[in-house]
Amino acid sequence: MASESMCWGVELGASAIKALKLGATSDGSVEVIDFAVIPHKKVLSTPGLDADDAMRVAIGQLASQYDLENTPIAVSVPGHQAFARFAKLPPVEPKKVPDIVKFEAVQQIPFDLEEVEWDYQTFMSPDSPDIEVGIFAITKDRIERELTLLRDVGLSPDAVNVAPVSAYNAMAYDLQFTEKTPGTVIMDVGTTSTDLIVADAGRVWMRTFPIGGHHFTEALVDKFKLSYAKAERLKREAERSKHSRHVFQAMKGVFADLAQETQRSLGYHSSLHPEADLKRIIGVGSTFKLPGLRRFLKQQLQLDVYRMDEFKRLSLDGPRAGEFGAVTLEMSVAYGLALQGLGMPTIDANLMPVAIMRDGMWGRKTKWFGMAAGLSIAASAAMFINWMMNNNAVSNNGAPPSIRNVVNQANSLRNEASEAGVTGESSTDAEAQQLLDLPNGRELMSYVVADLGQLMSWSDAQVADWQATNGGGPDNAFEVLSYTMAYSKAGGAGGGDIGGGRRSVAPVVSQEQYPDKAKIKVVLDVQTSQRNAQRFLFSTVLPWLQANVEREGVPYVILQTDELNYRSLGAVTRGGSDRENRSRDVSREIGFEETYDEFDRGAIEARRRAEASGGGGATLGSQRTRSNAGQPVITGDIDDLAPLPIPENDEPGQETSRFTIEWTLAIVPPEEREGAQENAEEGGTE
């Protein structure tokens, strides 16, 4: 979005519409020109309320009471309605970064890029050569729904950004973030969700989880049997109520959930960036007004917690100064949006559809077309007359000898090229073709990841029986550290021994049945604190593999389940308070997407079916897959993709054993799989 001298930043919130109009000054700073807070008659999370109609009424009220014409407008979409992913890029030349980011976007976004609006931002730390990228996306259906609400009242925005990105832009400008700024967590507690933004050493990471003011209200509804509207009013007036002690006691569980989810998110960030040193939390958002919330978070998270009651680089003089100060806590997103319209954002991501932006640019330039057309006609006439004069002068002279020499030399070189065979049809570059084919067949990964989630869920279900005969231990079976999926073409190696132990049982399907099929080798890196860890491994992983060899709707079969291919990587003893040994947050990142996001639908549906069947084989007949001859090795942290259980913290002093487990998958269509099974049975009868 081009820089302008003024801009409206408009946050379409669930409790109110917050709008802030900023203007750029001659010294490079910004000033408040106008602001507005239009509360909804009912919070949009009220059961039975038509949220679109309520939002349309509030937008219409804003447009009728304030002058929004002839000024650029930037609006936000809530964090739980969008998609944000962060990844490290390989070392490449700067000019190749866009191509690498597009490839990463294809891998990270489970929709075709034609179905989403997306943008990205790269981050670099002066102390590290690594380049990180933040990818932001939203489905075209969702962005069109929001733009339709605005068009209904005659508004056409110039930029659309994700709310947590705008909140970060506001804090980065207002607090003047640099690479030397202490590690800061921006916590925007809204009505239906909380945006958590971590800023450290020039990098940014963010996550949205579904806990907000709505859940505090629901707690009061359940406790005191009130209507939603009365519970909402009681929450807002809790501090002044004579029953305040009972009110806060009813909301105690939500306070604990909010702190726990924040702790898990920060723990997950620490696992990605062990060197990060977080010092403080800055709270914004209307729900952060709840009394006692700041003190409770400080006690639970052991970090300094501040509330953004006033901006450092933005103020308003005059009769409305007190009114603006009272709503400062709610204005961070609108602040960041207005900065983007002024060309001053730290993260300049714009999810506005390109076609609409192009139409807007042409519309603003229409008034200049008439003048340009007149000048064009005059210039064309002058050029034509000048050409006629020059053409007559040239026609009277013969071609210079130097031109004839160049033409003859060009003809000679063309003949030499033809004789050398370099002007014919070119052959296909196989390596380049493989690189172009990399995104194909990525649906297979969602099936494998769903299998990993089912395996871990089923293993967790066996813990109680195991501990009944082997002694106590943690509630979870394993902690998944990482996974690797290596693809091999048909006829290639199907995954060999990685040097671990093997334990034999009766064979089910041998790898030799499908020598002409492509294979996927899966290597799982886990650790467990269960007693007799090696025997526990054989009693959980191996039975699950044997029970799920062939399943309807799954595009592959599991090979070599007559034995377990594993390797023990040793054991360590953990201390319960040692932060370095703290287990990773695995499932909550995906749990958020299950509730609020339509992305990654294959993995979410697989988990639901696995839970319904008790961890057994899932039927995934509604999903499709494509084979790919150029698929690369896929590796990463399982908690980025798989809906796995949350590992509990180990008890102090408990021994933890680590293993790598390997199995091989053959990509076999169901009809060929059934024929192969029948042939195997007939051969056994003979």
Side-chain angles (χ1 to χ4, degrees), residues 110-155:
F111 284 121
D112 290 336
L113 294 188
E114 290 77 12
E115 299 179 24
V116 299
E117 300 292 344
W118 69 285
D119 205 347
Y120 72 94
Q121 179 84 19
T122 56
F123 308 98
M124 293 187 65
S125 172
D127 301 328
S128 172
D130 294 333
I131 300 177
E132 296 189 21
V133 62
I135 300 173
F136 313 100
I138 187 172
T139 60
K140 290 183 177 180
D141 291 341
R142 284 183 173 175
I143 192 67
E144 179 60 28
R145 174 183 171 185
E146 182 157 318
L147 294 177
T148 299
L149 293 176
L150 294 167
R151 282 196 292 264
D152 288 346
V153 296
L155 299 180

Short mmCIF file of all heavy atoms in Angstrom, two decimals, residues 110-155:
data_model
loop_
_atom_site.label_atom_id
_atom_site.label_comp_id
_atom_site.label_asym_id
_atom_site.label_seq_id
_atom_site.Cartn_x
_atom_site.Cartn_y
_atom_site.Cartn_z
N PRO A 110 -2.46 -25.82 3.12
CA PRO A 110 -3.09 -27.02 2.58
C PRO A 110 -4.16 -26.75 1.54
O PRO A 110 -4.93 -27.62 1.21
CB PRO A 110 -3.69 -27.70 3.80
CG PRO A 110 -3.60 -26.76 4.92
CD PRO A 110 -2.88 -25.54 4.49
N PHE A 111 -4.24 -25.54 1.03
CA PHE A 111 -5.09 -25.21 -0.10
C PHE A 111 -4.21 -24.86 -1.29
O PHE A 111 -3.05 -24.47 -1.12
CB PHE A 111 -5.98 -23.99 0.22
CG PHE A 111 -7.13 -24.29 1.13
CD1 PHE A 111 -7.25 -23.64 2.35
CD2 PHE A 111 -8.08 -25.21 0.77
CE1 PHE A 111 -8.31 -23.91 3.19
CE2 PHE A 111 -9.15 -25.48 1.60
CZ PHE A 111 -9.27 -24.83 2.81
N ASP A 112 -4.75 -24.98 -2.50
CA ASP A 112 -4.05 -24.45 -3.65
C ASP A 112 -3.94 -22.94 -3.49
O ASP A 112 -4.84 -22.28 -2.97
CB ASP A 112 -4.82 -24.76 -4.94
CG ASP A 112 -4.77 -26.25 -5.29
OD1 ASP A 112 -3.81 -26.92 -4.85
OD2 ASP A 112 -5.69 -26.70 -5.99
N LEU A 113 -2.83 -22.39 -3.96
CA LEU A 113 -2.61 -20.94 -3.78
C LEU A 113 -3.67 -20.12 -4.50
O LEU A 113 -3.89 -18.95 -4.14
CB LEU A 113 -1.22 -20.56 -4.28
CG LEU A 113 -0.04 -21.14 -3.49
CD1 LEU A 113 1.27 -20.52 -3.98
CD2 LEU A 113 -0.20 -20.89 -2.00
N GLU A 114 -4.32 -20.73 -5.52
CA GLU A 114 -5.38 -19.99 -6.22
C GLU A 114 -6.62 -19.80 -5.34
O GLU A 114 -7.47 -18.98 -5.65
CB GLU A 114 -5.78 -20.74 -7.50
CG GLU A 114 -4.73 -20.73 -8.60
CD GLU A 114 -3.59 -21.70 -8.32
OE1 GLU A 114 -3.75 -22.54 -7.40
OE2 GLU A 114 -2.56 -21.62 -9.01
N GLU A 115 -6.72 -20.56 -4.24
CA GLU A 115 -7.90 -20.47 -3.37
C GLU A 115 -7.70 -19.52 -2.20
O GLU A 115 -8.61 -19.35 -1.40
CB GLU A 115 -8.25 -21.86 -2.83
CG GLU A 115 -8.59 -22.88 -3.91
CD GLU A 115 -8.91 -24.24 -3.32
OE1 GLU A 115 -9.31 -24.30 -2.14
OE2 GLU A 115 -8.74 -25.24 -4.03
N VAL A 116 -6.52 -18.91 -2.06
CA VAL A 116 -6.25 -18.05 -0.91
C VAL A 116 -5.62 -16.74 -1.38
O VAL A 116 -5.06 -16.65 -2.48
CB VAL A 116 -5.30 -18.73 0.10
CG1 VAL A 116 -5.92 -20.00 0.64
CG2 VAL A 116 -3.94 -19.03 -0.52
N GLU A 117 -5.74 -15.74 -0.53
CA GLU A 117 -4.95 -14.52 -0.67
C GLU A 117 -3.82 -14.62 0.35
O GLU A 117 -4.08 -14.91 1.53
CB GLU A 117 -5.79 -13.27 -0.40
CG GLU A 117 -6.98 -13.08 -1.33
CD GLU A 117 -6.59 -12.78 -2.76
OE1 GLU A 117 -5.40 -12.41 -2.99
OE2 GLU A 117 -7.45 -12.92 -3.65
N TRP A 118 -2.57 -14.41 -0.06
CA TRP A 118 -1.46 -14.60 0.87
C TRP A 118 -0.37 -13.57 0.60
O TRP A 118 -0.27 -12.98 -0.46
CB TRP A 118 -0.91 -16.03 0.77
CG TRP A 118 -0.19 -16.35 -0.51
CD1 TRP A 118 -0.73 -16.57 -1.73
CD2 TRP A 118 1.24 -16.45 -0.68
NE1 TRP A 118 0.24 -16.82 -2.66
CE2 TRP A 118 1.46 -16.75 -2.04
CE3 TRP A 118 2.33 -16.32 0.18
CZ2 TRP A 118 2.75 -16.92 -2.55
CZ3 TRP A 118 3.60 -16.50 -0.33
CH2 TRP A 118 3.81 -16.79 -1.68
N ASP A 119 0.44 -13.38 1.63
CA ASP A 119 1.58 -12.47 1.55
C ASP A 119 2.62 -12.96 2.55
O ASP A 119 2.36 -13.87 3.35
CB ASP A 119 1.15 -11.03 1.88
CG ASP A 119 2.08 -9.98 1.25
OD1 ASP A 119 3.18 -10.36 0.79
OD2 ASP A 119 1.70 -8.80 1.24
N TYR A 120 3.81 -12.39 2.50
CA TYR A 120 4.85 -12.88 3.40
C TYR A 120 5.78 -11.74 3.82
O TYR A 120 5.78 -10.66 3.22
CB TYR A 120 5.67 -13.99 2.72
CG TYR A 120 6.60 -13.51 1.62
CD1 TYR A 120 7.93 -13.19 1.88
CD2 TYR A 120 6.14 -13.38 0.31
CE1 TYR A 120 8.77 -12.75 0.87
CE2 TYR A 120 6.97 -12.94 -0.70
CZ TYR A 120 8.29 -12.62 -0.42
OH TYR A 120 9.13 -12.18 -1.41
N GLN A 121 6.57 -12.00 4.85
CA GLN A 121 7.58 -11.06 5.35
C GLN A 121 8.78 -11.87 5.82
O GLN A 121 8.63 -12.90 6.48
CB GLN A 121 7.02 -10.25 6.53
CG GLN A 121 8.00 -9.26 7.15
CD GLN A 121 8.02 -7.94 6.39
OE1 GLN A 121 7.10 -7.64 5.65
NE2 GLN A 121 9.07 -7.17 6.56
N THR A 122 9.98 -11.43 5.45
CA THR A 122 11.19 -12.12 5.90
C THR A 122 11.78 -11.40 7.10
O THR A 122 11.63 -10.18 7.25
CB THR A 122 12.25 -12.17 4.77
OG1 THR A 122 12.52 -10.84 4.31
CG2 THR A 122 11.76 -13.02 3.61
N PHE A 123 12.44 -12.17 7.99
CA PHE A 123 13.05 -11.64 9.20
C PHE A 123 14.49 -12.13 9.27
O PHE A 123 14.78 -13.30 8.96
CB PHE A 123 12.30 -12.10 10.45
CG PHE A 123 10.82 -11.84 10.41
CD1 PHE A 123 9.93 -12.85 10.05
CD2 PHE A 123 10.32 -10.59 10.72
CE1 PHE A 123 8.58 -12.62 10.01
CE2 PHE A 123 8.96 -10.35 10.68
CZ PHE A 123 8.09 -11.36 10.33
N MET A 124 15.38 -11.27 9.71
CA MET A 124 16.78 -11.63 9.87
C MET A 124 17.29 -11.08 11.19
O MET A 124 16.92 -9.98 11.61
CB MET A 124 17.64 -11.10 8.72
CG MET A 124 17.36 -11.74 7.37
SD MET A 124 18.53 -11.23 6.10
CE MET A 124 20.05 -11.95 6.74
N SER A 125 18.12 -11.86 11.86
CA SER A 125 18.76 -11.44 13.10
C SER A 125 20.21 -11.09 12.80
O SER A 125 20.89 -11.83 12.07
CB SER A 125 18.68 -12.54 14.16
OG SER A 125 19.45 -12.20 15.28
N PRO A 126 20.73 -10.00 13.34
CA PRO A 126 22.13 -9.64 13.06
C PRO A 126 23.12 -10.66 13.62
O PRO A 126 24.25 -10.72 13.17
CB PRO A 126 22.28 -8.28 13.76
CG PRO A 126 21.20 -8.24 14.80
CD PRO A 126 20.07 -9.02 14.22
N ASP A 127 22.68 -11.46 14.58
CA ASP A 127 23.58 -12.46 15.17
C ASP A 127 23.46 -13.83 14.52
O ASP A 127 24.09 -14.78 14.97
CB ASP A 127 23.28 -12.59 16.67
CG ASP A 127 23.46 -11.27 17.41
OD1 ASP A 127 24.33 -10.49 16.99
OD2 ASP A 127 22.71 -11.03 18.37
N SER A 128 22.63 -13.95 13.47
CA SER A 128 22.43 -15.25 12.84
C SER A 128 22.33 -15.07 11.33
O SER A 128 21.70 -14.12 10.85
CB SER A 128 21.15 -15.91 13.38
OG SER A 128 20.86 -17.08 12.67
N PRO A 129 22.92 -16.01 10.56
CA PRO A 129 22.81 -15.92 9.10
C PRO A 129 21.48 -16.44 8.57
O PRO A 129 21.18 -16.31 7.39
CB PRO A 129 23.96 -16.82 8.62
CG PRO A 129 24.11 -17.84 9.71
CD PRO A 129 23.79 -17.13 11.00
N ASP A 130 20.67 -17.04 9.44
CA ASP A 130 19.41 -17.65 9.01
C ASP A 130 18.41 -16.57 8.60
O ASP A 130 18.34 -15.48 9.18
CB ASP A 130 18.80 -18.50 10.12
CG ASP A 130 19.66 -19.70 10.45
OD1 ASP A 130 20.38 -20.16 9.55
OD2 ASP A 130 19.62 -20.17 11.60
N ILE A 131 17.62 -16.91 7.59
CA ILE A 131 16.51 -16.06 7.15
C ILE A 131 15.22 -16.78 7.51
O ILE A 131 15.03 -17.94 7.16
CB ILE A 131 16.57 -15.80 5.63
CG1 ILE A 131 17.87 -15.08 5.25
CG2 ILE A 131 15.37 -14.97 5.19
CD1 ILE A 131 18.01 -14.86 3.76
N GLU A 132 14.35 -16.11 8.23
CA GLU A 132 13.06 -16.67 8.57
C GLU A 132 11.98 -15.94 7.80
O GLU A 132 12.12 -14.76 7.46
CB GLU A 132 12.79 -16.58 10.07
CG GLU A 132 13.77 -17.40 10.91
CD GLU A 132 13.34 -17.47 12.37
OE1 GLU A 132 12.15 -17.26 12.64
OE2 GLU A 132 14.21 -17.75 13.22
N VAL A 133 10.91 -16.64 7.51
CA VAL A 133 9.81 -16.05 6.75
C VAL A 133 8.51 -16.28 7.50
O VAL A 133 8.29 -17.34 8.09
CB VAL A 133 9.73 -16.66 5.33
CG1 VAL A 133 9.46 -18.15 5.38
CG2 VAL A 133 8.66 -15.96 4.50
N GLY A 134 7.68 -15.26 7.52
CA GLY A 134 6.32 -15.38 8.03
C GLY A 134 5.35 -15.36 6.86
O GLY A 134 5.41 -14.46 6.01
N ILE A 135 4.51 -16.38 6.75
CA ILE A 135 3.54 -16.50 5.66
C ILE A 135 2.15 -16.28 6.24
O ILE A 135 1.76 -16.95 7.19
CB ILE A 135 3.64 -17.88 4.99
CG1 ILE A 135 5.05 -18.09 4.41
CG2 ILE A 135 2.59 -18.02 3.89
CD1 ILE A 135 5.28 -19.49 3.88
N PHE A 136 1.41 -15.34 5.66
CA PHE A 136 0.09 -14.97 6.14
C PHE A 136 -0.92 -15.21 5.02
O PHE A 136 -0.68 -14.79 3.89
CB PHE A 136 0.06 -13.51 6.60
CG PHE A 136 1.21 -13.14 7.48
CD1 PHE A 136 2.31 -12.46 6.96
CD2 PHE A 136 1.23 -13.48 8.82
CE1 PHE A 136 3.38 -12.13 7.77
CE2 PHE A 136 2.29 -13.15 9.63
CZ PHE A 136 3.37 -12.47 9.11
N ALA A 137 -2.02 -15.89 5.32
CA ALA A 137 -2.98 -16.24 4.28
C ALA A 137 -4.39 -16.25 4.85
O ALA A 137 -4.61 -16.41 6.05
CB ALA A 137 -2.64 -17.61 3.69
N ILE A 138 -5.35 -16.11 3.94
CA ILE A 138 -6.76 -16.21 4.28
C ILE A 138 -7.49 -16.70 3.04
O ILE A 138 -7.09 -16.38 1.90
CB ILE A 138 -7.33 -14.84 4.74
CG1 ILE A 138 -8.76 -14.99 5.25
CG2 ILE A 138 -7.27 -13.81 3.63
CD1 ILE A 138 -9.31 -13.73 5.91
N THR A 139 -8.51 -17.53 3.21
CA THR A 139 -9.24 -18.02 2.06
C THR A 139 -9.98 -16.88 1.37
O THR A 139 -10.40 -15.91 2.00
CB THR A 139 -10.25 -19.10 2.47
OG1 THR A 139 -11.18 -18.54 3.40
CG2 THR A 139 -9.55 -20.29 3.10
N LYS A 140 -10.13 -17.02 0.07
CA LYS A 140 -10.80 -15.97 -0.69
C LYS A 140 -12.27 -15.84 -0.27
O LYS A 140 -12.83 -14.74 -0.33
CB LYS A 140 -10.69 -16.28 -2.19
CG LYS A 140 -9.28 -16.11 -2.73
CD LYS A 140 -9.21 -16.33 -4.23
CE LYS A 140 -7.80 -16.07 -4.74
NZ LYS A 140 -7.67 -16.27 -6.20
N ASP A 141 -12.88 -16.94 0.14
CA ASP A 141 -14.28 -16.85 0.60
C ASP A 141 -14.40 -15.96 1.83
O ASP A 141 -15.33 -15.15 1.94
CB ASP A 141 -14.81 -18.25 0.91
CG ASP A 141 -14.98 -19.10 -0.34
OD1 ASP A 141 -15.04 -18.51 -1.43
OD2 ASP A 141 -15.05 -20.33 -0.22
N ARG A 142 -13.45 -16.10 2.76
CA ARG A 142 -13.53 -15.31 3.99
C ARG A 142 -13.27 -13.83 3.74
O ARG A 142 -13.94 -12.95 4.29
CB ARG A 142 -12.54 -15.85 5.01
CG ARG A 142 -13.01 -17.14 5.67
CD ARG A 142 -12.02 -17.60 6.73
NE ARG A 142 -12.56 -18.74 7.47
CZ ARG A 142 -11.88 -19.41 8.38
NH1 ARG A 142 -10.65 -19.05 8.67
NH2 ARG A 142 -12.42 -20.42 9.02
N ILE A 143 -12.28 -13.54 2.90
CA ILE A 143 -11.98 -12.13 2.64
C ILE A 143 -13.12 -11.49 1.85
O ILE A 143 -13.47 -10.32 2.08
CB ILE A 143 -10.64 -11.98 1.90
CG1 ILE A 143 -10.19 -10.52 1.88
CG2 ILE A 143 -10.71 -12.51 0.49
CD1 ILE A 143 -9.84 -9.98 3.23
N GLU A 144 -13.76 -12.23 0.96
CA GLU A 144 -14.88 -11.70 0.19
C GLU A 144 -16.07 -11.42 1.11
O GLU A 144 -16.79 -10.43 0.92
CB GLU A 144 -15.27 -12.68 -0.90
CG GLU A 144 -16.45 -12.24 -1.75
CD GLU A 144 -16.20 -10.92 -2.47
OE1 GLU A 144 -15.02 -10.61 -2.77
OE2 GLU A 144 -17.19 -10.20 -2.72
N ARG A 145 -16.27 -12.26 2.13
CA ARG A 145 -17.36 -12.04 3.08
C ARG A 145 -17.17 -10.71 3.81
O ARG A 145 -18.12 -9.94 3.98
CB ARG A 145 -17.41 -13.19 4.07
CG ARG A 145 -18.39 -13.03 5.20
CD ARG A 145 -18.29 -14.20 6.16
NE ARG A 145 -19.05 -13.99 7.37
CZ ARG A 145 -19.06 -14.82 8.39
NH1 ARG A 145 -18.37 -15.94 8.34
NH2 ARG A 145 -19.76 -14.56 9.48
N GLU A 146 -15.94 -10.42 4.23
CA GLU A 146 -15.70 -9.17 4.94
C GLU A 146 -15.81 -7.96 4.02
O GLU A 146 -16.39 -6.93 4.39
CB GLU A 146 -14.31 -9.21 5.58
CG GLU A 146 -13.99 -7.96 6.38
CD GLU A 146 -12.92 -8.20 7.43
OE1 GLU A 146 -12.97 -9.26 8.09
OE2 GLU A 146 -12.05 -7.34 7.57
N LEU A 147 -15.30 -8.10 2.79
CA LEU A 147 -15.38 -6.98 1.85
C LEU A 147 -16.83 -6.69 1.47
O LEU A 147 -17.19 -5.54 1.22
CB LEU A 147 -14.54 -7.28 0.60
CG LEU A 147 -13.03 -7.38 0.83
CD1 LEU A 147 -12.33 -7.76 -0.47
CD2 LEU A 147 -12.48 -6.07 1.37
N THR A 148 -17.66 -7.74 1.42
CA THR A 148 -19.08 -7.53 1.10
C THR A 148 -19.76 -6.70 2.18
O THR A 148 -20.58 -5.81 1.88
CB THR A 148 -19.78 -8.88 0.95
OG1 THR A 148 -19.18 -9.62 -0.13
CG2 THR A 148 -21.26 -8.70 0.67
N LEU A 149 -19.46 -6.96 3.44
CA LEU A 149 -20.03 -6.16 4.53
C LEU A 149 -19.66 -4.69 4.39
O LEU A 149 -20.48 -3.80 4.64
CB LEU A 149 -19.53 -6.69 5.88
CG LEU A 149 -20.02 -8.08 6.31
CD1 LEU A 149 -19.34 -8.49 7.61
CD2 LEU A 149 -21.53 -8.09 6.47
N LEU A 150 -18.43 -4.42 3.98
CA LEU A 150 -18.00 -3.03 3.81
C LEU A 150 -18.64 -2.40 2.58
O LEU A 150 -19.06 -1.23 2.61
CB LEU A 150 -16.47 -2.98 3.70
CG LEU A 150 -15.71 -3.40 4.96
CD1 LEU A 150 -14.24 -3.62 4.66
CD2 LEU A 150 -15.85 -2.34 6.05
N ARG A 151 -18.73 -3.17 1.48
CA ARG A 151 -19.35 -2.61 0.27
C ARG A 151 -20.82 -2.28 0.49
O ARG A 151 -21.35 -1.37 -0.14
CB ARG A 151 -19.20 -3.60 -0.89
CG ARG A 151 -17.81 -3.62 -1.50
CD ARG A 151 -17.84 -4.32 -2.86
NE ARG A 151 -18.11 -5.73 -2.72
CZ ARG A 151 -17.18 -6.67 -2.68
NH1 ARG A 151 -15.89 -6.32 -2.78
NH2 ARG A 151 -17.49 -7.94 -2.57
N ASP A 152 -21.49 -3.04 1.36
CA ASP A 152 -22.91 -2.78 1.61
C ASP A 152 -23.16 -1.38 2.16
O ASP A 152 -24.28 -0.86 2.03
CB ASP A 152 -23.47 -3.82 2.60
CG ASP A 152 -23.61 -5.20 1.96
OD1 ASP A 152 -23.54 -5.28 0.72
OD2 ASP A 152 -23.77 -6.19 2.71
N VAL A 153 -22.17 -0.78 2.79
CA VAL A 153 -22.33 0.58 3.32
C VAL A 153 -21.47 1.57 2.54
O VAL A 153 -21.21 2.69 3.00
CB VAL A 153 -21.98 0.63 4.82
CG1 VAL A 153 -22.95 -0.21 5.62
CG2 VAL A 153 -20.55 0.19 5.07
N GLY A 154 -20.98 1.16 1.36
CA GLY A 154 -20.27 2.07 0.48
C GLY A 154 -18.80 2.26 0.78
O GLY A 154 -18.21 3.25 0.32
N LEU A 155 -18.17 1.33 1.52
CA LEU A 155 -16.76 1.47 1.86
C LEU A 155 -15.93 0.48 1.03
O LEU A 155 -16.35 -0.65 0.80
CB LEU A 155 -16.51 1.22 3.35
CG LEU A 155 -17.20 2.17 4.32
CD1 LEU A 155 -16.84 1.80 5.76
CD2 LEU A 155 -16.81 3.61 4.03
#
